[in-house]
Amino acid sequence: MALRTKTTLLVGLFFLLYTWGVKAQVKVEVEGRVEVARGQNVTIPCLYTTDDGIGGLTIEWFYLEPTGKRHRIYLQDPTMRIEDTATPFTGRIKVDVNGSQGNGQVILTIMDARLGDEADFICRIKSLTDGSHEGVTQLRVFERPDIPTIEGVDTAIWYTNIKPVKIGSCEAKNGYPRPNITWYKDNSPLVNIPNEVSVVPLVTMDSSGLYSVRSELSLNVVKEDKDSDFYCEVNYLTVGGNAMMESNKIKILVNYPTDEVNLWVKSPKRDIKEGDTVELQCQGNGYPQPTFTFRQGGEDLKSNSNVLELRDVSRHNSGVYECFTLNAENFNDVVGNTTLLVNYLDPAVVSPDDTHMLFQGEELNASCNALSSLNTHIVWMKNGVKVATGNILLLRDIVYDMAGTYECMVTVPQLVGMETSSALQLIVQGQPEILKPQITSLEETVESTVVLTCRARGYPKPTIIWKSPEVQIDTVSSNETEDEVVSMASVKVTSDMNVTCNAVNQNGNKEVLFSIKASEFLHALLVYVLVIQTDTAIPPKKIKRESSGVIIAVLIICLLLLAVLGSVLYFLYKKGKICGRSGKQDLTKEKTSRDNIVVEMKRDNTEEAVLLAVNGDKKPGEQEFSLPTHPSLIHLYRSSHYVSQGNYEQKDDTKRSQRLCGDEWEGTSKEG
Ligand SMILES: *[C@@H]1O[C@H](CO)[C@@H](O)[C@H](O)[C@H]1NC(C)=O
Ligand SMILES: *[C@@H]1O[C@H](CO)[C@@H](O)[C@H](O)[C@H]1NC(C)=O
Ligand SMILES: *[C@@H]1O[C@H](CO)[C@@H](O)[C@H](O)[C@H]1NC(C)=O
Ligand SMILES: *[C@@H]1O[C@H](CO)[C@@H](O)[C@H](O)[C@H]1NC(C)=O
Ligand SMILES: *[C@@H]1O[C@H](CO)[C@@H](O)[C@H](O)[C@H]1NC(C)=O
Ligand SMILES: *[C@@H]1O[C@H](CO)[C@@H](O)[C@H](O)[C@H]1NC(C)=O
Ligand SMILES: *[C@@H]1O[C@H](CO)[C@@H](O)[C@H](O)[C@H]1NC(C)=O
């Protein structure tokens, strides 16, 4: 349309100049060519110039047959307008005239353009005075073909063929004028090459004049054609010029023999270990895939596909695997191979194994080995704690605490899940050891009961025997834990006495001496204190009347005695004999805050001694008048309980000694 407008403008300009200049005949200007799509309305314009007004003009439209014969289709003169009958355009045309003095426009409209409408149209204008003139316009009608369809052959093609074979066909239907089909392989057009490429078009035309073009492609197929894309392109003319459309792309199946075979481990993708299920895959480079035979060590293996499955593999499955097929072209064997490596880890062997018995002070040199195709990592564990790395476990100067189960754990860092373990039980033999008691010399009131506890260990398990030359040991109860024997003896204090705890086994014996001092003074004092404290029913005057003088004397002596006792305890504390430093500190702190007992003299009114229990702020340093650390005072008339505790005195056993020393007063406040 743009074309037409431009032409019109040019023509208009020309006329303007022309009429300005020379007064001449009637002049007609038309477009050389007008294009229309089938079924559309088309207008063919005709411009004229004349000196006459519109009223004196005769307008005629003709079309030319291919033979050159002219047929009128329209006539208009000052008296009438006629559309000629019995022409191919009858009933489908319309003529519009408008114009003014000098120039004007006649427009022929042909409705519903048909293929047969293609012809030359003549616009003729005759003036009464200026003569006549005419112009010819060629009308072109187009029809766009349907989108092209493509069909490939659905059977595979042997690439060894000598002649081109049919690959597929392409069709473009219902176009006008005749469309062209071009074949493409991977974006390059295919042209006829003898013995290589043959493109055969077949053109048909239907009753309405539309063309259908079908094109068959034959190729001498090569192996690489299996990867090629084939398609066709339709070129056609339409309003405004050339246009094209492409078909879908197709691939073809090409048969070609296998001349190379590959074999590989399909799964697992990691290193292979014993027990895995392994899949070996075989693939040839031909199409279709041939059948394969798997072989290892000269023996055929069963498989009904191109995958060989090996279940629960062992190291014996390691080796070179081959996969065979026959080249269908030259009947040679084609072989692929791969090497399978099945890794293994044998059970761990510990030496010495099982239970191993050693004496204290001896040395253990144990080894742990597990045969493997890969590097192993070995650790020794005891009670879940790593004690050594590497295959040797070396324990020098063995002590009881080293007894137990040592587990050797072997892993393969390269292959998760490959592991083995074995264990060694170490028994340490030796003479008994007694847990060092915290207090071995004690002072108790007469008639009280003391419970002494003795803890011993050793292998074989020691027997604990309580002895005292002075007194019979009343009751003994004992208890055995995994590595200890605990024995408790109840002793009634009658006089000063020595009690020994003796632990015996076949390797020797150990004993510990508790020396008990029986205190009458203490007894008296405490009886008195108890009376004041507990028996409030007795009036204080009564006591005063009876024995106030004696009591004062006794109390003074008691005070002196307590002072002496205090300094003795302080001395013991300084020497660190009672327990390890940390244990002692805990003890004093706790006891001072809870059971700080102060003896105070009240001389003013009553001259009575009053024992006050104070939960005071006394610090451990100012203990001269307090008796926190001596158990005999704290426990008054209760039965006292002495526990053998502390340290088994092993250099490398700090953990254990701390724990034991922390236990200190456990069980001491047991009611008598
Ligand atoms: C052609 O013109 C006729 C009459 O003006 C109109 O009815 C018709 O719709 C037109 N056809 C097209 C395709 O424009
Ligand atoms: C013809 O008439 C149309 C409107 O009816 C007008 O737009 C056009 O310019 C006229 N052409 C001429 C040449 O006068
Ligand atoms: C079709 O091909 C012929 C010959 O190659 C050519 O002359 C013609 O213009 C082509 N037509 C189209 C629509 O491309
Ligand atoms: C395995 O195949 C390779 C080539 O892929 C070849 O060099 C090698 O000799 C073959 N091994 C065996 C054992 O056949
Ligand atoms: C431990 O035993 C192995 C072999 O039994 C020996 O080679 C190694 O020297 C021993 N180690 C010690 C520290 O005795
Ligand atoms: C031995 O001691 C454990 C805990 O220390 C206790 O559960 C057990 O009852 C005791 N056995 C005897 C016989 O006293
Ligand atoms: C207790 O034993 C010690 C020596 O071990 C001895 O001096 C003391 O006299 C003994 N005490 C009694 C009451 O036997």
Side-chain angles (χ1 to χ4, degrees), residues 169-198:
S169 62
C170 188
E171 188 166 21
K173 282 184 172 169
N174 304 327
Y176 187 91
R178 180 169 77 87
N180 279 355
I181 289 180
T182 313
W183 280 92
Y184 282 81
K185 180 173 108 178
D186 293 333
N187 304 323
S188 311
L190 292 169
V191 292
N192 278 312
I193 301 170
N195 295 329
E196 290 294 328
V197 185
S198 139

Side-chain angles (χ1 to χ4, degrees), residues 615-632:
N615 283 333
D617 300 317
K618 295 270 181 191
K619 292 185 176 93
E622 8 174 0
Q623 279 177 8
E624 283 87 349
F625 295 102
S626 62
L627 302 167
T629 54
H630 200 288
S632 61

Side-chain angles (χ1 to χ4, degrees), residues 124-312:
R124 182 167 184 236
I125 306 229
K126 198 168 92 185
S127 158
L128 286 175
T129 54
D130 291 342
S132 70
H133 193 229
E134 59 184 39
V136 183
T137 300
Q138 185 191 24
L139 177 67
R140 299 296 310 269
V141 181
F142 302 102
E143 174 70 4
R144 196 182 72 166
D146 300 343
I147 291 170
T149 55
I150 189 166
E151 256 176 51
V153 292
D154 47 12
T155 53
I157 302 149
W158 275 105
Y159 89 103
T160 45
N161 282 355
I162 295 147
K163 275 196 328 191
V165 290
K166 189 180 158 188
I167 293 303
S169 62
C170 188
E171 188 166 21
K173 282 184 172 169
N174 304 327
Y176 187 91
R178 180 169 77 87
N180 279 355
I181 289 180
T182 313
W183 280 92
Y184 282 81
K185 180 173 108 178
D186 293 333
N187 304 323
S188 311
L190 292 169
V191 292
N192 278 312
I193 301 170
N195 295 329
E196 290 294 328
V197 185
S198 139
V199 179
V200 179
L202 179 72
V203 183
T204 52
M205 189 177 77
D206 71 5
S207 57
S208 64
L210 291 173
Y211 292 98
S212 290
V213 182
R214 184 184 163 86
S215 175
E216 275 186 7
L217 173 67
S218 297
L219 265 191
N220 196 356
V221 175
V222 295
K223 196 160 124 184
E224 291 68 34
D225 289 338
K226 72 183 164 57
D227 300 319
S228 296
D229 284 324
F230 291 90
Y231 66 94
C232 65
E233 185 184 275
V234 176
N235 287 285
Y236 58 93
L237 280 169
T238 187
V239 178
N242 282 300
M244 69 93 164
M245 287 186 288
E246 281 178 3
S247 74
N248 294 328
K249 293 180 176 177
I250 57 164
K251 282 195 186 298
I252 57 170
L253 289 175
V254 181
N255 278 348
Y256 49 93
T258 291
D259 57 13
E260 197 184 306
V261 166
N262 282 299
L263 179 61
W264 68 91
V265 178
K266 185 184 175 199
S267 74
K269 285 292 174 211
R270 51 168 171 73
D271 287 333
I272 294 157
K273 60 176 192 288
E274 290 193 323
D276 283 343
T277 293
V278 175
E279 284 184 327
L280 296 178
Q281 175 149 31
C282 187
Q283 193 167 315
N285 63 346
Y287 182 88
Q289 284 289 299
T291 53
F292 298 103
T293 312
F294 291 90
R295 202 175 283 178
Q296 195 232 343
E299 266 181 48
D300 282 5
L301 302 164
K302 226 188 249 169
S303 169
N304 43 17
S305 71
N306 61 342
V307 174
L308 175 69
E309 191 186 64
L310 303 169
R311 287 176 188 275
D312 193 14

Side-chain angles (χ1 to χ4, degrees), residues 104 212 358 374 380 467 473 514 586 658:
S212 290
L358 286 175
L374 295 169
W380 291 87
K467 275 190 235 154
I473 310 294
F514 294 90
D586 280 349
Q658 266 174 17

